[in-house]
Amino acid sequence: MQLAPGVWRIATAPADLVSSFAFVEDDGQVTLVDAGTKRAPKRLVAGLEHMGVAPSDVTRIVVTHAHGDHVGGLVAMRGRTGATVSVHERDAAYVREGKGPVLDRSTLGGRLLRRGHGTQPTPVDEELVDGQVLDVAGRLRVLHTPGHTQGHVSLLHEPSGTLVTGDAIWNMRGRMTW
């Protein structure tokens, strides 16, 4: 689904529970935000094809946080695309080690996410910091929004005003949660 010129949402799980985002440059290069679960790469590639771009056009993958439903497909997508990986400095070690941040076992969500918690170790090419502006589709500002994880980030696409919130805010069955 196109959200704004050059900004796309790609659903990577049934019922739109998890999404990735793609920012397309004028020259066709793509920055992907999040790589979904281990099963997401098939949906990501289909989404890219729907947009008229190929996996080889993806040059960077930015991670909002190091939970398995956002980095489970990272190794596969990096392998298919050759893209660099950017993660906030506080979640970078988790991505490198393939171990997600500690989950709260007292909540149903924490128990369910724990099942698919481990991911494959992935090299991190760039550690992001709060306020950093990425040269992505005009300007993509990194906003450190810790809470869900210590290194959670939201990303503001300044030209369109699109805010990618990762899991800082999300909609489940019509209810906003944060």
Side-chain angles (χ1 to χ4, degrees):
M1 169 189 297
Q2 189 168 17
L3 303 175
V7 182
W8 296 78
R9 181 181 69 85
I10 303 170
T12 59
D16 291 348
L17 291 176
V18 181
S19 294
S20 293
F21 296 84
F23 292 87
V24 182
E25 302 283 346
D26 290 338
D27 65 2
Q29 290 185 55
V30 177
T31 294
L32 191 64
V33 175
D34 289 334
T37 66
K38 291 179 194 175
R39 295 182 180 171
K42 182 177 179 180
R43 289 176 182 241
L44 286 167
V45 169
L48 292 168
E49 289 172 354
H50 174 77
M51 294 164 43
V53 297
S56 60
D57 295 323
V58 177
T59 58
R60 173 191 265 161
I61 302 171
V62 177
V63 174
T64 59
H65 65 290
H67 282 158
D69 58 334
H70 292 258
V71 297
L74 189 56
V75 167
M77 287 307 293
R78 183 182 177 118
R80 287 189 91 154
T81 65
T84 61
V85 172
S86 303
V87 183
H88 188 271
E89 61 187 355
R90 288 193 168 177
D91 272 11
Y94 296 121
V95 172
R96 285 188 186 103
E97 296 167 10
K99 298 177 183 176
V102 176
L103 295 169
D104 183 354
R105 293 182 188 194
S106 69
T107 67
L108 175 61
R111 290 190 300 276
L112 290 174
L113 282 174
R114 190 162 193 75
R115 291 181 183 171
H117 196 49
T119 60
Q120 293 179 291
T122 307
V124 173
D125 301 292
E126 178 183 25
E127 292 189 13
L128 304 172
V129 296
D130 184 46
Q132 183 175 349
V133 176
L134 305 177
D135 186 18
V136 171
R139 287 174 60 96
L140 192 64
R141 184 172 300 277
V142 176
L143 304 170
H144 185 214
T145 49
H148 189 65
T149 70
Q150 287 300 307
H152 188 285
V153 298
S154 297
L155 301 160
L156 176 61
H157 182 242
E158 293 181 343
S160 69
T162 302
L163 180 65
V164 175
T165 62
D167 280 351
I169 300 172
W170 51 285
N171 180 6
M172 183 168 201
R173 297 186 181 147
R175 293 181 55 203
M176 295 301 289
T177 308
W178 56 88

